[in-house]
Amino acid sequence: MAVPVEEAIAALSTFSLEDDQLEIQGAAFCVTTERGATISPIEYSDVSAYRLSLSEDTKAINQLNYLAREGNEMCSVLYTYRSCVKALPQLPDSMKHSQADLYLETYQVLDLEMGRLREIQHWQASAASKLAADMQRFSRPERRLNGPTVTHLWSMLKLLDVLVQLDHLKNGKASIPNDFSWYKRTFTQVSMQWQDSDTIREELDDLQIFLSTRWAILLNLHVEMFRVNNVDDILQVLIVFAVESLDLNFALLFPERHILLRVLPVLVVLAASSEKDSESLYKRVKLNKLIGIFKKEPMIPSFPDLHLSPASMLKELATFFPRFSTQNRLLTLPSPHELPLREQIVVNLTRFTYQREFSVVHNIGTIRAEHDDFTIRFASALNQLALLRSLDGTDMEWAREVKGNVYDMVVEGFQLLSRWTARIWNQSAWKFSRPCKDPDATDLSETAASPTDYEKVVRYNYNADETKTLVELVSYIKGIGSLMQKSDTLVADSLWETLHSEVQDFVQNTLATMKQTTFKKKRDISRILSDMCTLSADWMANSKPESEMQALQQGGEGNKVNIFYPRPVAPTTAQVHCLQFLIHEVVSGGNLRKPGGLFSNTGSEIPASDLKHLETFFYKLGFFLHILDYTATITNLTDVGFLWFREFYLESSRVIQFPIECSLPWMLVDHVLESQDGGLLESVLMPFEIYNDAAQNALVVLKQRFLYDEIEAEVDNCFDIFVSKLCDVIFTHYKCRAASELLDPSFVFAIDTGEKFSVQPLRFTALFKMTRVKLLGRTVNLRSLISERINKIFRDNIEFLFDRFECQDLCAIVELEKLIQVVQLSHELLSKDLALDSFSLMLSEIQENVSLVSYSSRLASQIWTEMQNDFLPNYILCNTTQRFVRSLRVSSVPIQKPSVPHAKPNFYCGTQALNSAYQSFARLYSAFFGMPHMRSIIRLLGSRSLPWLIRALLDHVSNKIATLEPIVTVLQEALPKSIGLLPFDNGVAGCMRIIQENLNCWQSRSELKSEVLRGVKEIGSVLYWMSLLDIVLREADTSQFMQIAPWLGLVPGADGQVIQFQEGGDSPVVILFKSLASLDVSNHSFLSSSFKILSRQAEAADLLYKSNMNAGSVLEYSLAFTSAALDKYCSKWSVVPRSGFVDITTSKDFYRIYSALQIEYLEETSRVQPNQYGSLGDSVAWGGCTIMYLLGQHLHFELFDFSHQVLNVAEVETASISPTHKSQGHEGLIEAMRKARRLNCHVFSMLKARCPLEDKQACAIRQNGMPVHRIKFQNTVSAFDTLPQKGA
């Protein structure tokens, strides 16, 4: 069934094509080659329809406009001209025989370029001749044709401006004469074979004279102007028109103002060089006014990197025009390079400073206020217009007021854009005219060579404040332009209606009043006013056209004000042109020699009030065309592409292209990123609009593909660097935020400078939403690029942290965890705005732990390697503090580690202050290994890699036991056959002497003894490490149990064991979801299926968590594993006596070996400094006692240990001998033995509690890392194969 069209349209209207991307770029204009309304597409051909005798004037206007367009193309060719000689090959001496062919090919290449210069030469001669002829027609004593109109004057000025700029370019381009000299040299060589070359040689001589003569175009124009008769009158009219336009701001847009400023010095020189009395000029225009204009505008923008100076032009032209050389006041004006920075002059009784006038930084406050005020009022005007369009039957006066307000706001917007863009042009010209003389030494250190001229005028000529204000001003221009462009369709009808209303009000009311009063008896003027009414009056818009026309004809006093209804019908270009001409005729009467300005009322019979009406409407007409060409006007006023072009300096510096560090658009982008100004960050994309405008000019205006290619290459490079630097700034900011949030608050409050750890907010939200960045006609997804780059940075950061940890010892694991927490939090903050990869996935990739069957990881392997190579051999245990510390004994095998890698501060914590704070925190844990480090290991490894590490350590214990077995056998064989109990008769000294005699057999085996002690120490270190791990795991299990117990219905029983609250019943969480599911079924709710799924998931969770409740002990598992490893050597280390009784004297079991090693170790350490006691630490006791306990020898050790026997003797000796003679010389040894006995008793008591020997029960660990509590096993190592292997 087909859907009705109305419903389909209504449905489509509900869809929104807008997204959440903010407008932080300029408006995207389409590339177009059509001419706007300011250059009439019909070229005023409809003027003849109005029968105003303007056909000659219109024809001349069309001709001048056509010449101006051609001249602009010539200027583009000349401005973009680059030397061809540099690219020409040079023949080596071995190929001199081919020199003739090279000359011929060189001539053919250069002839194409010289052909363009010939075209320019011919065109300028033709244009000068036609302009002079046009001026001469209006300088005759008798007036034979109407004109010149205001449009005609502007056409003359524009063509003259083109000739001035063309001549200025020819003077400044040094590569053109160089190429021509090379071309002429090749022509001389090639033309030797030609029969008739005289004509070409004459053309070359003329071209050489044209290129080598400065101001040749103006000199030729001067000759053409005064060839037949003088053109003083028209020159003076042009000067008066230019001065009056500058004074009264008739040139509303800056391009028109620049045209007037560029041609005014030339007009003054041409007028003053006339054969007639030049003083007549200064009667119409005061000399002081001209001097004031030239002083106020010491430099005039001409081309992006080439400006004109009126003072320099006047001084240079004075050498070519002798009559002008007498104008001393004009010739003494200072040139821009002669002006001191702080020079002040008086202009109109005001203090005027050049630096403050041309530098944007001194005017940015006013610009900000203008921008904010205009934005608010323009938005308010648009809101009122939208409200007006949504209402029916509104009041006509209110509607006209609203639309008139919109028109006024558009005009004000154009004026603001023109004024702001002109400020950038003027500042650029000022900077180019005043290069930086002494660049900062810090800036020059980056480059070895001295700075180029372009670097002096751009790179080193803008300080930080000027760069900031330039970014801000470009953002204002593009922002206002985008705002006005978006409202194009909304305001179009209102603008046309307002234009229609303005014209109709003038011709139907103002002119009607003038005809009936002022000009009632002046037929000539009345006829002109009637022509204006006939030309533009829209009588069809009147409410009563017949009566109004009749009343107008009768001149009735009661109907002076006509009521008309505005229509969106704007006047055409020809109508505006004719109206301006007719108003000019009314005011001046066609007299070119009229003193004063156009509306100065000098010698005029028109009353001041009527003259004011005419003047106001006359200037409004000049702005109508810009309003009609709305989009093109905005495009021209917001064009800042000139900030990129540097053709003149490329030629003077003799380089192909400058690096991007010298490019002003990139300087602006880089400043925003480096300064990290929160107010500018959202404008970071605005400088790229300079590249967009420059590319548009390269293709459409200059029409040079190679310029576009250079811009495109620079944009590609700059945008890549921009994305990289922007991502670094974003990553650094969020890294600082994360580090600041994770910093201990008590630490921040305890110091006085805690504010340095705070992070200033930066607004990246707008940039994160940019999915359509407009760049040279392309659309770039900036959000996707940022996400991709940030993902890479996170991976690089994690990789760096692991590389850094691999260069440090195991104590750095706490710092690693803290830094990874900072990275994780910064990833979490960024993930709120960007689509980033999962942090766990990144961490798994860096740890090489992505595979489902991989139980190891990079971190686990590094921890195992570090423990095997450094921790176990070189760290000793302090049982009292439960910490491992590095031994003072120098390792026999030096540890080879790579140097710690260095990286930018943002790979640590972001800033130097935060890095110092976290390093201070890390130093607290860098000198020991204890419980904090174990917690970090568990959190970093997780349940997947931790079993692998446990198995690797236990395998190390098994291997170490196997390594010790032959050494212990050697020591057993070296012992005496019989060692009895120590007698009490000789005291401690005698006992020690007997022990030494029994152990003299080991004197030649000191290395073996040390090897056994080190092996036992490593075994003890591993077992104690497992005990710390067991404590931390039990803490985690307890915390998890406290969270899940209420949901599983678990309660403590009478004997302390955990029991089910309801035997055989479901847990509370299962009961909850089952009851909800059954309730929904009875109520026929659509949620019943969802609750059934949730109930099944609750049952699965119940089974999963209950199965993990019987968690075993890692320490018990380790002891069982060690016991199984020792069972292989039980027959050698624990021999069963043949008699069945305890063997007291002939036993060589392990306890006897360890007892002997212990007493020798204690005696040795008691003779040296007390701090040397830490050479092996308490790990020896843990290892030795564990081995003896698992071998069932702990009771034998307590009975027959040499230290125990000596302590018993010492106690008896202490009781029987006076305190002054007891154990003299052995106090340190006795104290060491007591400490050893206390430690041994502590270890044995712990082992009895955690690993009772009567039933050989321990816990195992499954493949997934989950311990299984108290499972009976066969006491062999193969029983522990369920644990992941070290190499898996």
Side-chain angles (χ1 to χ4, degrees):
M1 181 176 180
V3 179
V5 178
E6 294 78 6
E7 295 183 8
I9 295 177
L12 288 174
S13 64
T14 60
F15 290 95
S16 176
L17 300 179
E18 298 181 356
D19 56 11
D20 56 352
Q21 174 171 313
L22 302 180
E23 290 292 337
I24 58 175
Q25 264 196 299
F29 297 104
C30 298
V31 178
T32 177
T33 57
E34 296 180 359
R35 290 176 293 172
T38 52
I39 305 173
S40 178
I42 56 177
E43 298 181 344
Y44 302 100
S45 60
D46 58 337
V47 172
S48 58
Y50 301 113
R51 300 178 181 180
L52 297 177
S53 301
L54 289 175
S55 58
E56 291 292 332
D57 183 81
T58 304
K59 183 179 179 180
I61 290 174
N62 293 334
Q63 184 184 43
L64 294 178
N65 290 341
Y66 178 75
L67 289 173
R69 289 194 295 271
E70 285 187 337
N72 287 325
E73 294 179 1
M74 300 292 178
C75 289
S76 300
V77 171
L78 210 56
Y79 176 68
T80 58
Y81 184 89
R82 293 188 183 179
S83 177
C84 301
V85 177
K86 298 177 182 178
L88 294 177
Q90 300 294 328
L91 288 180
D93 296 337
S94 60
M95 298 181 63
K96 289 298 182 182
H97 59 279
S98 303
Q99 195 166 9
D101 297 335
L102 177 63
Y103 276 127
L104 179 59
E105 294 180 2
T106 301
Y107 173 78
Q108 293 173 351
V109 171
L110 292 177
D111 188 58
L112 296 175
E113 301 298 329
M114 294 303 112
R116 298 180 181 179
L117 298 180
R118 291 193 195 96
E119 293 178 3
I120 293 175
Q121 180 190 11
H122 297 156
W123 177 87
Q124 65 85 24
S126 174
S129 175
K130 292 177 181 178
L131 178 60
D134 188 65
M135 289 183 175
Q136 289 166 2
R137 283 184 299 178
F138 297 101
S139 297
R140 297 169 183 172
E142 69 281 2
R143 186 186 181 197
R144 296 182 180 179
L145 69 161
N146 290 333
T149 61
V150 175
T151 308
H152 199 156
L153 294 179
W154 271 113
S155 299
M156 290 181 183
L157 292 174
K158 289 177 181 178
L159 181 56
L160 181 59
D161 177 58
V162 170
L163 293 173
V164 171
Q165 293 193 76
L166 195 62
D167 216 358
H168 184 50
L169 273 177
K170 181 183 67 66
N171 297 338
K173 281 285 187 177
S175 61
I176 296 177
N178 294 337
D179 286 4
F180 179 79
S181 61
W182 190 272
Y183 171 74
K184 192 172 183 181
R185 190 180 308 120
T186 57
F187 171 76
T188 303
Q189 298 293 330
V190 173
S191 62
M192 293 179 181
Q193 304 175 2
W194 297 352
Q195 294 180 357
D196 186 12
S197 61
D198 295 337
T199 305
I200 301 177
R201 186 171 284 106
E202 290 178 0
E203 292 181 358
L204 290 181
D205 292 339
D206 293 341
L207 183 58
Q208 184 176 11
I209 294 173
F210 170 72
L211 296 177
S212 60
T213 304
R214 294 185 63 82
W215 302 108
I217 298 177
L218 291 183
L219 293 175
N220 181 43
L221 177 63
H222 178 263
V223 172
E224 294 292 339
M225 282 182 177
F226 297 95
R227 184 184 299 277
V228 179
N229 61 336
N230 291 327
V231 291
D232 303 281
D233 294 338
I234 190 63
L235 288 176
Q236 291 180 11
V237 168
L238 291 174
I239 293 174
V240 171
F241 178 75
V243 172
E244 188 174 15
S245 298
L246 292 173
D247 284 345
L248 301 177
N249 287 327
F250 176 54
L252 295 176
L253 304 183
F254 76 91
E256 300 170 351
R257 181 177 179 83
H258 288 171
I259 290 174
L260 298 176
L261 291 173
R262 283 193 293 264
V263 300
L264 187 57
V266 178
L267 290 173
V268 172
V269 172
L270 293 175
S273 62
S274 172
E275 296 179 358
K276 293 185 178 181
D277 185 13
S278 61
E279 295 300 326
S280 62
L281 168 65
Y282 304 124
K283 293 179 182 179
R284 302 187 64 177
V285 180
K286 298 298 182 183
L287 181 61
N288 289 335
K289 183 172 291 188
L290 291 174
I291 294 175
I293 292 175
F294 294 151
K295 281 189 174 182
K296 189 175 181 180
E297 305 288 344
M299 77 287 301
I300 306 167
S302 178
F303 292 93
D305 57 337
L306 196 61
H307 64 277
L308 283 170
S309 170
S312 301
M313 290 177 62
L314 294 175
K315 293 177 183 178
E316 190 172 358
L317 290 175
T319 60
F320 299 97
F321 298 92
R323 291 182 178 274
F324 180 73
S325 61
T326 59
Q327 306 294 326
N328 294 328
R329 293 187 62 186
L330 291 174
L331 296 178
T332 55
L333 292 173
S335 301
H337 63 277
E338 299 173 350
L339 294 173
L341 282 177
R342 301 298 179 184
E343 180 183 356
Q344 294 181 343
I345 60 175
V346 178
V347 177
N348 296 330
L349 303 178
T350 356
R351 301 295 288 179
F352 177 79
T353 308
Y354 288 122
Q355 183 73 9
R356 296 187 64 85
E357 175 65 19
F358 294 107
S359 181
V360 178
V361 71
H362 298 294
N363 301 277
I364 193 63
T366 305
I367 294 173
R368 288 194 191 106
E370 292 174 346
H371 171 268
D372 297 342
D373 177 67
F374 174 79
T375 304
I376 295 172
R377 292 191 293 114
F378 186 75
S380 175
L382 293 182
N383 291 336
Q384 287 186 347
L385 182 61
L387 177 62
L388 175 65
R389 296 178 64 177
S390 65
L391 299 177
D392 295 330
T394 56
D395 182 61
M396 182 176 177
E397 289 299 326
W398 181 67
R400 181 175 297 183
E401 179 184 354
V402 170
K403 295 175 181 178
N405 185 32
V406 171
Y407 173 83
D408 294 338
M409 293 305 303
V410 169
V411 173
E412 183 180 350
F414 284 170
Q415 292 174 335
L416 283 178
L417 292 175
S418 176
R419 190 159 60 246
W420 294 347
T421 309
R423 285 198 177 277
I424 298 181
W425 268 104
N426 292 334
Q427 176 178 264
S428 179
W430 174 261
K431 293 293 184 181
F432 278 109
S433 66
R434 313 220 17 125
C436 177
K437 295 182 179 179
D438 299 315
D440 192 359
T442 57
D443 298 332
L444 290 178
S445 61
E446 301 177 1
T447 57
S450 60
T452 62
D453 293 339
Y454 189 70
E455 288 180 310
K456 290 181 180 179
V457 297
V458 175
R459 184 178 183 183
Y460 303 120
N461 213 13
Y462 288 84
N463 56 36
D465 291 336
E466 291 173 337
T467 306
K468 175 184 176 181
T469 53
L470 186 56
V471 174
E472 195 172 351
L473 184 52
V474 170
S475 303
Y476 289 161
I477 292 173
K478 291 297 181 179
I480 295 296
S482 177
L483 180 64
M484 297 181 69
Q485 176 61 29
K486 287 173 57 180
S487 60
D488 183 8
T489 56
L490 179 63
V491 303
D493 289 346
S494 300
L495 296 178
W496 294 342
E497 286 188 20
T498 304
L499 294 181
H500 178 269
S501 177
E502 291 281 350
V503 173
Q504 300 309 311
D505 182 65
F506 178 76
V507 299
Q508 295 191 34
N509 293 326
T510 305
L511 291 185
T513 303
M514 289 183 183
K515 284 185 63 177
Q516 296 169 11
T517 56
T518 306
F519 306 114
K520 185 175 183 179
K521 298 181 180 181
K522 298 179 181 180
R523 294 184 177 180
D524 294 339
I525 298 179
S526 180
R527 178 185 54 81
I528 297 175
L529 298 182
S530 298
D531 290 341
M532 282 194 273
C533 292
T534 305
L535 175 70
S536 56
D538 183 14
W539 303 113
M540 299 299 295
N542 290 30
S543 59
K544 298 177 181 180
E546 295 181 0
S547 60
E548 294 296 339
M549 289 177 62
Q550 189 175 12
L552 181 61
Q553 293 173 0
Q554 295 176 357
E557 293 295 327
N559 295 315
K560 290 184 179 179
V561 179
N562 291 333
I563 300 175
F564 56 88
Y565 295 95
R567 297 192 300 169
V569 181
T572 64
T573 305
Q575 285 178 310
V576 173
H577 164 63
C578 294
L579 284 174
Q580 285 184 327
F581 162 70
L582 292 174
I583 294 175
H584 182 267
E585 286 290 307
V586 170
V587 175
S588 65
N591 183 13
L592 296 180
R593 297 173 178 82
K594 175 181 173 291
L598 180 60
F599 297 99
S600 62
N601 201 24
T602 303
S604 176
E605 299 178 358
I606 304 175
S609 58
D610 293 340
L611 191 66
K612 185 65 177 178
H613 287 302
L614 293 172
E615 178 185 4
T616 302
F617 187 70
F618 182 84
Y619 289 137
K620 283 183 178 180
L621 288 174
F623 211 77
F624 280 2
L625 298 181
H626 301 298
I627 296 293
L628 293 176
D629 202 6
Y630 187 85
T631 301
T633 303
I634 295 177
T635 304
N636 294 331
L637 295 181
T638 58
D639 182 10
V640 289
F642 61 89
L643 293 174
W644 180 85
F645 290 100
R646 68 289 291 264
E647 292 300 306
F648 176 75
Y649 280 89
L650 282 175
E651 180 181 282
S652 62
S653 302
R654 298 182 179 180
V655 295
I656 298 177
Q657 193 53 261
F658 295 110
I660 62 171
E661 291 81 8
C662 304
S663 182
L664 187 57
W666 172 248
M667 288 171 54
L668 302 181
V669 176
D670 188 61
H671 173 77
V672 175
L673 296 178
E674 293 294 336
S675 63
Q676 297 187 19
D677 189 338
L680 284 182
L681 200 56
E682 291 184 351
S683 303
V684 70
L685 291 174
M686 285 299 182
F688 284 101
E689 294 297 317
I690 300 175
Y691 288 118
N692 290 335
D693 294 341
Q696 175 79 3
N697 290 333
L699 291 177
V700 178
V701 180
L702 300 177
K703 299 180 181 179
Q704 298 294 338
R705 177 59 186 268
F706 75 91
L707 280 178
Y708 177 82
D709 292 339
E710 291 180 352
I711 296 171
E712 185 180 28
E714 182 173 321
V715 168
D716 291 342
N717 188 16
C718 290
F719 196 76
D720 289 343
I721 301 175
F722 159 72
V723 172
S724 177
K725 296 192 72 170
L726 175 64
C727 292
D728 285 341
V729 172
I730 294 172
F731 181 75
T732 302
H733 172 71
Y734 281 90
K735 196 74 174 293
C736 293
R737 279 185 55 186
S740 180
E741 291 181 14
L742 292 176
L743 202 60
D744 188 358
S746 60
F747 167 75
V748 178
F749 294 146
I751 60 176
D752 299 331
T753 59
E755 64 276 0
K756 67 181 180 180
F757 301 115
S758 61
V759 180
Q760 298 298 327
L762 294 177
R763 294 177 293 184
F764 294 103
T765 308
L767 294 175
F768 291 154
K769 296 179 180 179
M770 292 300 294
T771 58
R772 303 184 312 276
V773 177
K774 300 175 289 292
L775 210 61
L776 302 188
R778 295 171 290 178
T779 301
V780 181
N781 190 340
L782 182 61
R783 175 186 175 90
S784 175
L785 292 178
I786 292 176
S787 300
E788 180 181 347
R789 180 72 182 177
I790 291 293
N791 279 329
K792 183 179 183 302
I793 294 177
F794 271 115
R795 285 178 168 84
D796 292 342
N797 196 177
I798 299 173
E799 177 77 25
F800 165 76
L801 294 180
F802 280 104
D803 290 342
R804 188 170 185 268
F805 172 72
E806 290 169 358
C807 301
Q808 298 174 294
D809 56 26
L810 193 59
C811 300
I813 192 70
V814 175
E815 182 186 13
L816 175 64
E817 184 201 13
K818 206 69 177 178
L819 294 177
I820 288 183
Q821 287 177 356
V822 173
V823 177
Q824 185 174 7
L825 181 57
S826 59
H827 179 276
E828 180 182 344
L829 295 174
L830 269 171
S831 298
K832 297 177 181 178
D833 299 306
L834 294 176
L836 301 179
D837 295 341
S838 170
F839 184 79
S840 59
L841 176 62
M842 294 182 186
L843 197 60
S844 299
E845 289 179 5
I846 302 303
Q847 291 208 69
E848 303 169 2
N849 193 23
V850 181
S851 174
L852 294 176
V853 296
S854 175
Y855 300 103
S856 178
S857 65
R858 177 179 176 180
L859 181 59
S861 301
Q862 177 60 26
I863 292 175
W864 159 239
T865 303
E866 192 66 26
M867 291 190 69
Q868 186 180 25
N869 298 333
D870 181 34
F871 182 80
L872 295 177
N874 300 322
Y875 277 73
I876 59 176
L877 171 65
C878 179
N879 190 75
T880 304
T881 59
Q882 294 185 333
R883 292 179 176 182
F884 291 91
V885 295
R886 186 174 291 276
S887 173
L888 299 177
R889 178 177 55 85
V890 179
S891 176
S892 57
V893 180
I895 303 172
Q896 298 294 334
K897 290 184 179 181
S899 58
V900 178
H902 297 282
K904 294 180 293 186
N906 62 355
F907 270 25
Y908 293 94
C909 298
T911 63
Q912 295 293 348
L914 289 170
N915 291 344
S916 300
Y918 275 85
Q919 287 173 3
S920 301
F921 168 81
R923 280 195 292 269
L924 299 176
Y925 299 92
S926 61
F928 71 95
F929 183 93
M931 297 294 290
H933 304 77
M934 191 61 69
R935 294 188 181 95
S936 298
I937 288 176
I938 292 175
R939 285 191 289 262
L940 289 174
L941 292 183
S943 60
R944 184 172 183 179
S945 299
L946 188 60
W948 181 92
L949 179 61
I950 294 173
R951 182 54 186 262
L953 290 171
L954 295 180
D955 286 344
H956 179 74
V957 171
S958 178
N959 296 334
K960 187 60 67 175
I961 292 174
T963 304
L964 292 179
E965 187 271 333
I967 304 176
V968 172
T969 302
V970 173
L971 295 179
Q972 287 176 332
E973 294 175 352
L975 284 176
K977 295 182 178 180
S978 175
I979 301 176
L981 297 177
L982 298 178
F984 286 76
D985 300 338
N986 299 327
V988 174
C991 291
M992 292 305 300
R993 187 167 53 253
I994 295 173
I995 293 173
Q996 290 175 1
E997 292 175 358
N998 291 329
L999 299 180
N1000 283 335
C1001 58
W1002 284 359
Q1003 290 183 355
S1004 60
R1005 296 173 174 83
S1006 57
E1007 294 182 359
L1008 297 178
K1009 293 188 294 183
S1010 300
E1011 186 68 24
V1012 172
L1013 286 175
R1014 286 194 295 269
V1016 173
K1017 168 189 167 293
E1018 291 189 20
I1019 294 173
S1021 297
V1022 171
L1023 294 175
Y1024 194 84
W1025 197 89
M1026 292 295 181
S1027 69
L1028 295 180
L1029 178 62
D1030 185 67
I1031 294 173
V1032 176
L1033 286 176
R1034 285 182 177 274
E1035 291 178 357
D1037 292 341
T1038 303
S1039 175
Q1040 182 181 6
F1041 173 77
M1042 296 298 294
Q1043 297 174 9
I1044 66 175
W1047 296 97
L1048 299 181
L1050 302 177
V1051 295
D1055 56 350
Q1057 297 295 322
V1058 177
I1059 61 174
Q1060 188 75 29
F1061 179 71
Q1062 295 178 352
E1063 290 294 336
D1066 294 327
S1067 60
V1069 64
V1070 177
I1071 296 173
L1072 173 65
F1073 285 107
K1074 282 186 176 180
S1075 60
L1076 289 174
S1078 60
L1079 181 63
D1080 282 344
V1081 170
S1082 60
N1083 294 335
H1084 303 285
S1085 174
F1086 67 94
L1087 294 176
S1088 58
S1089 60
S1090 301
F1091 282 116
K1092 287 181 180 178
I1093 296 174
L1094 290 176
S1095 64
R1096 288 195 294 268
Q1097 292 177 349
E1099 291 178 1
D1102 180 70
L1103 294 175
L1104 176 64
Y1105 282 106
K1106 283 183 177 180
S1107 63
N1108 294 335
M1109 290 302 300
N1110 297 323
S1113 170
V1114 174
L1115 177 59
E1116 294 178 7
Y1117 175 83
S1118 302
L1119 294 175
F1121 188 97
T1122 306
S1123 176
L1126 288 172
D1127 284 351
K1128 294 181 181 180
Y1129 314 105
C1130 186
S1131 59
K1132 297 181 180 180
W1133 289 5
S1134 181
V1135 180
V1136 178
R1138 296 179 181 178
S1139 61
F1141 296 98
V1142 175
D1143 192 350
I1144 299 176
T1145 59
T1146 61
S1147 175
K1148 295 184 179 181
D1149 292 344
F1150 181 81
Y1151 78 89
R1152 182 71 75 179
I1153 303 298
Y1154 178 75
S1155 177
L1157 293 173
Q1158 177 182 258
I1159 197 168
E1160 283 192 347
Y1161 168 69
L1162 295 176
E1163 184 179 10
E1164 180 182 355
T1165 55
S1166 65
R1167 292 197 301 264
V1168 297
Q1169 292 82 0
N1171 58 0
Q1172 292 298 319
Y1173 174 75
S1175 59
L1176 293 177
D1178 297 336
S1179 300
V1180 176
W1182 275 87
C1185 293
T1186 301
I1187 293 174
M1188 290 185 293
Y1189 178 82
L1190 295 178
L1191 291 174
Q1193 300 175 2
H1194 59 288
L1195 296 177
H1196 297 70
F1197 177 76
E1198 291 179 352
L1199 289 174
F1200 306 120
D1201 177 30
F1202 294 123
S1203 300
H1204 286 212
Q1205 297 182 50
V1206 172
L1207 287 176
N1208 293 334
V1209 172
E1211 292 175 1
V1212 172
E1213 186 178 21
T1214 302
S1216 60
I1217 304 176
S1218 62
T1220 57
H1221 298 89
K1222 60 180 179 180
S1223 304
Q1224 293 183 359
H1226 295 82
E1227 293 82 358
L1229 176 61
I1230 298 299
E1231 184 62 27
M1233 290 179 179
R1234 289 174 180 157
K1235 291 181 180 179
R1237 182 169 63 178
R1238 289 196 297 270
L1239 179 59
N1240 294 337
C1241 293
H1242 169 73
V1243 175
F1244 285 138
S1245 62
M1246 189 277 300
L1247 292 173
K1248 291 176 183 178
R1250 303 300 297 273
C1251 186
L1253 295 177
E1254 55 272 12
D1255 55 358
K1256 287 277 187 177
Q1257 287 184 348
C1259 70
I1261 298 181
R1262 293 177 178 172
Q1263 188 79 5
N1264 61 359
M1266 179 55 61
V1268 181
H1269 184 63
R1270 294 288 181 184
I1271 296 179
K1272 288 184 176 292
F1273 59 91
Q1274 185 180 1
N1275 199 10
T1276 61
V1277 178
S1278 61
F1280 299 86
D1281 288 341
T1282 54
L1283 193 68
Q1285 299 298 312
K1286 185 174 67 174

